[in-house]
Amino acid sequence: MKPLKDLVRKGLWELSPYSTARDEFKGDASIYLDANELPYNTEWNRYPDPYQLKLREAFANYRNIDSENVFAAHGSDEVIDLLIRIFCESHTENIVGITPSYGMYKVCAEQNLVEYREALLNPAFGLNSHRINDAIDGETKLIFLCSPNNPNGNSFELSKVKAIADSFDGIVVLDEAYIDFSENKSGLSVLKKTPNLIVLQTMSKAWGLASLRIGFAFGSKEIIRLLDKQKLPYNISKAVADIAISHIQKPQLKENYVRKLIKERESLINKLNQCNDVLRIFHSDANFLLVKFKDSKEVFEKLKNQGIILRDRSKLPLCKNCLRISIGTSEENRKLISVLSL
Ligand SMILES: *Cc1c(COP(=O)(O)O)cnc(C)c1O
């Protein structure tokens, strides 16, 4: 890895961020007349903590990581955008990702006018380090990996991810949106030894809080400081942070959802295996299944006509005739199977 200072876009390292009233004074005072807030208590009249220390501490604590290594965001999508804007010069530098994978990396790169290069996975969705290496050149700043990967749900061996990071001059972003559903080791276990690794997690999936918009990035203190400098001052509202903290404080709720969902996933696999239209179900460590059908278009339409919507992934590389099915409640899965069996 190059020194972080040399990886950041020109001028950003030296930039001083907007200093909020809450930055200028830290500690407890009895009268706050510094932020042009309404003084009457509406419950929401005060600006929130720009660094969401309580939220970061709660999640860091749950994951057994120092809170100075955690950044909280308006969904992991916010972090993806921030990282591109911190590290990649428009028009000249590039990002390498795998394909098929989560679509936001490419969209976000293009929104920022940064070239996005795709390295095809192996036919069974395994990581192909040679293709990744071939896509990298001197202008590559970021590599996006996703494990368990969306849209198919398999996990990459952590040793391979680490090897890619160790041999790369830039930053590797490992998106672990679905890690809670997986038995595999999280990238957090090698974070200390891998200074150019950033791990993304979210409360949108296993925690059941997609509408709150809460995501986290884990990385070195220096990387977290860069994210803090680049973000909007109040990227998470107090109401949302409070709800998120209350969920982090009772993780059994999430753990129960995960256990229940994995049971549903296994039972859905069994039932799908008995459906005539199904050719193949790909291994999944996540809360969805990628399924190859004889004719995905016909299946998609048949289900749609009965009010059941799947995600059509058939146009993606390696995904011909494939639909992605989010695991539903047992009732929803039963209906899905009954329509598929028609
Ligand atoms: C759903 C998903 C996310 C979630 O993003 P949020 O902005 O946190 O809701 C991130 N990455 C992947 C791969 C996903 O599938």
Side-chain angles (χ1 to χ4, degrees):
M1 178 197 185
K2 281 189 194 160
L4 202 56
K5 191 169 183 273
D6 300 338
L7 284 173
V8 170
R9 283 173 71 189
K10 265 189 216 68
L12 280 188
W13 190 262
E14 300 77 17
L15 173 145
S16 14
Y18 174 72
S19 184
T20 69
R22 295 294 172 262
D23 283 314
E24 312 251 307
F25 176 81
K26 288 205 174 86
D28 278 319
S30 50
I31 299 179
Y32 286 98
L33 304 176
D34 58 349
N36 297 349
E37 297 151 336
L38 195 79
Y40 314 117
N41 181 12
T42 67
E43 203 179 343
W44 309 108
N45 53 317
R46 297 293 174 186
Y47 277 101
D49 172 8
Y51 301 106
Q52 312 99 15
L53 288 183
K54 284 188 184 145
L55 174 61
R56 293 187 196 198
E57 274 166 16
F59 204 70
N61 200 30
Y62 178 64
R63 291 303 198 211
N64 239 326
I65 295 275
D66 276 347
S67 59
E68 61 184 21
N69 297 112
V70 181
F71 176 82
H74 183 83
S76 11
D77 288 347
E78 183 190 2
V79 188
I80 295 168
D81 181 60
L82 286 172
L83 290 173
I84 296 173
R85 291 196 286 120
I86 290 169
F87 290 107
C88 302
E89 217 60 76
S90 304
H91 301 296
T92 53
E93 296 179 329
N94 67 71
I95 297 170
V96 169
I98 49 174
T99 188
S101 192
Y102 186 46
M104 269 308 285
Y105 317 131
K106 184 174 184 204
V107 169
C108 234
E110 288 176 347
Q111 286 170 333
N112 288 292
L113 307 175
V114 173
E115 183 193 352
Y116 189 79
R117 302 178 172 183
E118 298 181 307
L120 187 66
L121 294 170
N122 290 329
F125 301 104
L127 210 51
N128 187 316
S129 304
H130 296 295
R131 288 207 190 106
I132 292 174
N133 279 331
D134 285 347
I136 294 171
D137 65 14
E139 307 301 322
T140 307
K141 289 297 195 66
L142 296 174
I143 298 175
F144 279 100
L145 301 174
C146 181
S147 178
N149 192 25
N150 183 356
N152 56 289
N154 73 330
S155 308
F156 302 128
E157 265 175 66
L158 193 52
S159 59
K160 280 196 186 165
V161 173
K162 178 157 173 46
I164 290 172
D166 287 343
S167 66
F168 180 48
D169 276 342
I171 303 282
V172 170
V173 184
L174 177 61
D175 187 342
E176 294 191 334
Y178 301 97
I179 192 70
D180 294 276
F181 299 105
S182 166
E183 309 259 283
N184 293 52
K185 256 202 165 151
S186 160
L188 294 183
S189 61
V190 298
L191 199 64
K192 274 220 170 81
K193 292 181 288 183
T194 324
N196 61 337
L197 181 68
I198 298 174
V199 174
L200 306 187
Q201 295 188 353
T202 177
M203 298 192 82
S204 295
K205 307 288 157 65
W207 295 85
L209 300 174
S211 84
L212 283 191
R213 311 303 302 128
I214 292 280
F216 295 97
F218 296 87
S220 71
K221 231 171 31 190
E222 293 70 28
I223 291 174
I224 302 301
R225 205 173 298 138
L226 283 170
L227 286 163
D228 277 332
K229 257 167 65 157
Q230 191 75 358
K231 77 184 186 73
L232 289 174
Y234 305 106
N235 55 328
I236 297 177
S237 74
K238 181 173 187 301
V240 160
D242 285 351
I243 300 172
I245 291 168
S246 77
H247 282 257
I248 297 164
Q249 283 167 345
K250 29 181 209 299
Q252 320 79 269
L253 210 63
K254 183 239 345 174
E255 285 150 19
N256 288 337
Y257 289 143
V258 166
R259 227 170 291 133
K260 203 157 130 178
L261 189 122
I262 290 175
K263 256 196 209 154
E264 285 299 332
R265 183 181 72 202
E266 297 315 303
S267 126
L268 186 62
I269 290 174
N270 281 334
K271 290 179 195 143
L272 283 169
N273 267 323
Q274 292 159 30
C275 292
N276 266 332
D277 287 327
V278 171
L279 285 182
R280 178 159 185 198
I281 304 164
F282 292 95
H283 175 83
S284 172
D285 298 316
N287 64 336
F288 54 82
L289 293 169
L290 187 73
V291 180
K292 195 181 202 65
F293 293 91
K294 286 177 187 155
D295 183 344
S296 63
K297 200 161 184 239
E298 189 185 292
V299 172
F300 186 88
E301 291 301 320
K302 178 161 85 172
L303 288 163
K304 195 174 86 177
N305 291 337
Q306 301 293 322
I308 301 174
I309 309 299
L310 304 186
R311 186 84 153 130
D312 181 2
R313 300 281 74 180
S314 62
K315 304 279 188 302
L316 295 183
L318 311 177
C319 296
K320 200 170 174 228
N321 275 314
C322 287
L323 301 175
R324 194 190 67 197
I325 308 177
S326 303
I327 313 297
T329 63
S330 54
E331 182 58 26
E332 289 168 340
N333 299 337
R334 216 177 358 255
K335 280 195 184 140
L336 168 78
I337 293 293
S338 76
V339 176
L340 273 180
S341 314
L342 287 179

